[in-house]
Amino acid sequence: MGYEGPLEQIDANSWRIPKSYKSGMRVDGVIFADDAMMKKLRHDQAPDQVANVATLPGIQRASFAMPDIHWGYGFCIGGVCATDPDDGGVISPGGVGYDINCGVRLIRSHLTEKKLGKRLRPLVDALFEAIPTGVGRGSRFRFSEKEIDQLLAKGPGYLVRDRGIGCERDLLFTEANGCLEGARPDFVSQRAKQRGASQCGSLGSGNHFAEVQVVDHVFDEKVAATLGLFQGQVCVMIHSGSRGLGYQVCDDTLRVFRDIPAKYGIDLPDRQLACAPIVSEEGERYLGAMRAAANYAWGNRHLLMHQVREVFEEQFDRTWEDLGMDLVYDIAHNIAKFEEHDVAPGTKRRVCVHRKGATRAFPPGHPELPDEYQSVGQPVMIPGDMGTASYVLVGAPGSMERTFGTTCHGAGRQMSRTASVKAARGRNIAKELAGRGVIARAHSRKGLEEEQPDAYKDVSMVVEVVARAGLSNKVARMRPIGVIKG
DNA sequence: ATGTCC
């Protein structure tokens, strides 16, 4: 079952689904992809999901999808949708995803691959021992009921200021400073908090990882230098989200939202697009809980970084400050937040930008960027597969004009999890990775099989499209040398 | 993604 509707080529990198395609579409759909990607997309349901999102009340300009588009719950992964609260705009949990504020952070260091040498193996082993990974795993950090409310309200700011973990600079180099205003811990269920209380500081499973990487190629020396990156440098990339807490918030909300569209007279082409007006009791309850889960996720990645720093300190017998292990940046790629954007030429509005498997990519000069990055734009980390590469980009002016300041978020799967496991029969993925120069540690053999390099599209093709489309510019390619997973 | 079914 593929997509049989119209796809009009706008230019080399983007395609339009006209709003005449489906009744109820309020705006066009726009998909960023090259010719080869578009051919494959015809066999996917995801373009129909882009069209469905275009029917949501209050949607502005267009329903967008990034080149790593694939099918998801209600909204496609790689989807971007901005709604205006003053135009009847809605908030939809499906437009955020189950893993609220899943995201990526990159930590740099003074170390080089050359200097690391034989110390890589014990380093990866120590990371695997220190950092909890896998489904349902808890961490060594504990939060009482009062403390979890603090964490949900303040995010990593609570960890830095009240618990002395990490430093103020860590907050400055996190999207939204790691704290969304208007978080409502009191709108998060007891069950969600219980799951979250023991899991903060754990990695999780699936595509989540912590990776030791080497800067393999620099595309833009000047920008790389501003981000503190250089050829041959050792970095650590962390990909994780809000664990069981965010999942539970999404699950709790979807239960409540089943009958809400009808209550407000909202007609939907797919029940999974369940939503509520931003200006409604139900909308405000989800927004408050979602923001709290987002703050939790930033706290989680902050604690993961803290544990990485501890391991490096022990392995190299120097402080993390001495090792130069500063946070380059932390970005969310599953979130909805209010931002100022042009909804028409010269008309600025505060809109609710849903990014589901899509990354904010603010250009140089944006007021939300830290001073150090004003001249280069916001760093964007794009994880690829664990055997090939990840990318660092920076936001470009085209993102504001075209996609509400957004770019892609990853390679995107090309094989289902079951197909990946089947394809791994009789093979040893860890051994194959070792042959490619990557030390991989995971609790589950099946987990590694699901995440094998073949399961993913070529991340470099995805990055090429967003670069050519002017959404974000390439800075550096990162090659994995050690990875820990669930 | 997720104590992959309270």
Side-chain angles (χ1 to χ4, degrees):
Chain A
M1 268 257 290
Y3 173 76
E4 285 164 7
L7 278 165
E8 302 167 357
Q9 184 149 20
I10 301 168
D11 54 36
N13 309 297
S14 62
W15 308 70
R16 177 186 296 112
I17 300 175
K19 65 178 177 182
S20 57
Y21 165 51
K22 210 177 249 192
S23 77
M25 282 177 73
R26 297 163 195 263
V27 292
D28 291 340
V30 173
I31 301 174
F32 289 84
D34 62 24
D35 286 14
M37 290 169 178
M38 214 64 227
K39 274 199 189 97
K40 283 191 181 171
L41 254 182
R42 292 260 182 200
H43 306 285
D44 199 321
Q45 301 247 63
D48 254 309
Q49 295 193 309
V50 175
N52 291 344
V53 169
T55 69
L56 292 179
I59 186 168
Q60 303 296 309
R61 291 176 58 181
S63 162
F64 295 99
M66 295 297 133
D68 44 340
I69 175 174
H70 55 105
W71 188 90
Y73 182 91
F75 291 58
C76 66
I77 317 293
V80 185
C81 150
T83 51
D84 183 350
D86 296 332
D87 189 22
V90 293
I91 175 83
S92 176
V96 172
Y98 267 87
D99 191 3
I100 296 165
N101 190 3
C102 185
V104 185
R105 85 170 36 196
L106 182 67
I107 304 140
R108 62 194 181 206
S109 81
H110 294 329
L111 297 164
T112 60
E113 184 181 24
K114 222 174 171 178
K115 258 197 250 165
L116 209 55
K118 283 183 181 146
R119 302 172 81 163
L120 176 63
R121 167 80 57 184
L123 174 66
V124 176
D125 286 342
L127 286 169
F128 189 62
E129 226 160 273
I131 298 173
T133 67
V135 193
R137 274 289 293 276
S139 83
R140 70 172 211 253
F141 302 98
R142 284 289 173 273
F143 297 86
S144 70
E145 225 167 287
K146 265 190 187 153
E147 290 166 341
I148 198 84
D149 282 351
Q150 291 281 308
L151 179 64
L152 292 173
K154 300 180 187 167
Y158 163 69
L159 300 168
V160 170
R161 288 159 192 159
D162 295 351
R163 292 178 67 150
I165 299 170
C167 62
E168 287 288 334
R169 190 193 173 283
D170 297 335
L171 307 175
L172 273 173
F173 288 77
T174 301
E175 177 173 342
N177 296 324
C179 184
L180 293 187
E181 298 278 320
R184 293 291 299 264
D186 52 327
F187 292 166
V188 175
S189 68
Q190 283 307 311
R191 171 130 59 119
K193 287 181 193 174
Q194 274 163 15
R195 291 180 70 171
S198 59
Q199 290 186 334
C200 204
S202 69
L203 199 56
S205 66
N207 61 4
H208 289 167
F209 64 77
E211 241 175 50
V212 183
Q213 304 177 337
V214 177
V215 178
D216 192 46
H217 184 80
V218 173
F219 299 95
D220 188 324
E221 286 284 351
K222 209 176 150 207
V223 177
T226 306
L227 304 187
L229 301 177
F230 59 90
Q231 178 84 31
Q233 175 187 26
V234 170
C235 293
V236 177
M237 189 176 278
I238 293 168
H239 179 207
S240 189
S242 49
R243 310 287 288 102
L245 184 139
Y247 178 94
Q248 195 62 49
V249 166
C250 182
D251 204 47
D252 291 342
T253 306
L254 287 173
R255 241 169 263 267
V256 174
F257 269 31
R258 276 221 320 228
D259 304 318
I260 299 306
K263 176 179 169 184
Y264 291 99
I266 298 168
D267 204 18
L268 298 172
D270 179 355
R271 291 182 70 103
Q272 294 188 349
L273 292 176
C275 57
I278 293 163
V279 188
S280 71
E281 194 201 326
E282 295 87 354
E284 276 170 19
R285 285 193 79 87
Y286 173 64
L287 274 167
M290 187 270 299
R291 287 162 173 155
N295 295 346
Y296 175 93
W298 275 311
N300 185 37
R301 290 197 289 278
H302 184 87
L303 286 181
L304 287 165
M305 172 178 71
H306 173 66
Q307 292 170 96
V308 166
R309 283 170 170 167
E310 283 182 335
V311 168
F312 272 72
E313 285 184 331
E314 204 182 280
Q315 290 292 308
F316 298 99
D317 201 24
R318 290 163 67 187
T319 66
W320 69 260
E321 290 93 340
D322 256 2
L323 292 163
M325 296 188 71
D326 299 318
L327 177 59
V328 176
Y329 208 68
D330 177 301
I331 45 97
H333 57 221
N334 273 12
I335 203 163
K337 54 209 277 280
F338 287 89
E339 294 168 2
E340 287 247 323
H341 288 283
D342 286 339
V343 293
T347 311
K348 274 218 184 318
R349 282 289 172 82
R350 196 168 158 272
V351 290
C352 181
V353 186
H354 299 64
R355 296 191 180 97
K356 181 191 194 175
T359 313
R360 198 188 72 174
F362 283 167
H366 194 284
E368 279 200 40
L369 300 188
D371 290 345
E372 273 180 56
Y373 295 166
Q374 277 293 324
S375 66
V376 297
Q378 176 217 300
V380 174
M381 283 75 70
I382 308 295
D385 67 76
M386 60 185 166
T388 314
S390 296
Y391 282 79
V392 177
L393 295 87
V394 280
S399 75
M400 296 309 268
E401 294 158 19
R402 301 193 179 101
T403 56
F404 295 105
T406 310
T407 190
C408 63
H409 91 303
R413 291 195 84 90
Q414 62 176 357
M415 284 164 81
S416 71
R417 294 188 178 279
T418 39
S420 307
V421 173
K422 215 172 157 188
R425 231 171 230 234
R427 291 161 56 196
N428 183 330
I429 302 299
K431 214 170 172 181
E432 288 179 23
L433 285 166
R436 296 166 74 149
V438 185
I439 298 171
R441 298 287 317 267
H443 283 110
S444 125
R445 194 189 161 93
K446 190 169 151 236
L448 267 190
E449 291 173 352
E450 288 176 349
E451 293 297 312
Q452 60 169 303
D454 296 343
Y456 285 90
K457 281 186 258 186
D458 184 354
V459 67
S460 65
M461 302 307 288
V462 172
V463 164
E464 282 310 318
V465 171
V466 295
R468 286 200 307 257
L471 306 182
S472 46
N473 295 322
K474 289 185 283 181
V475 178
R477 186 175 66 222
M478 321 291 286
R479 172 170 49 86
I481 55 173
V483 53
I484 68 164
K485 291 189 64 82

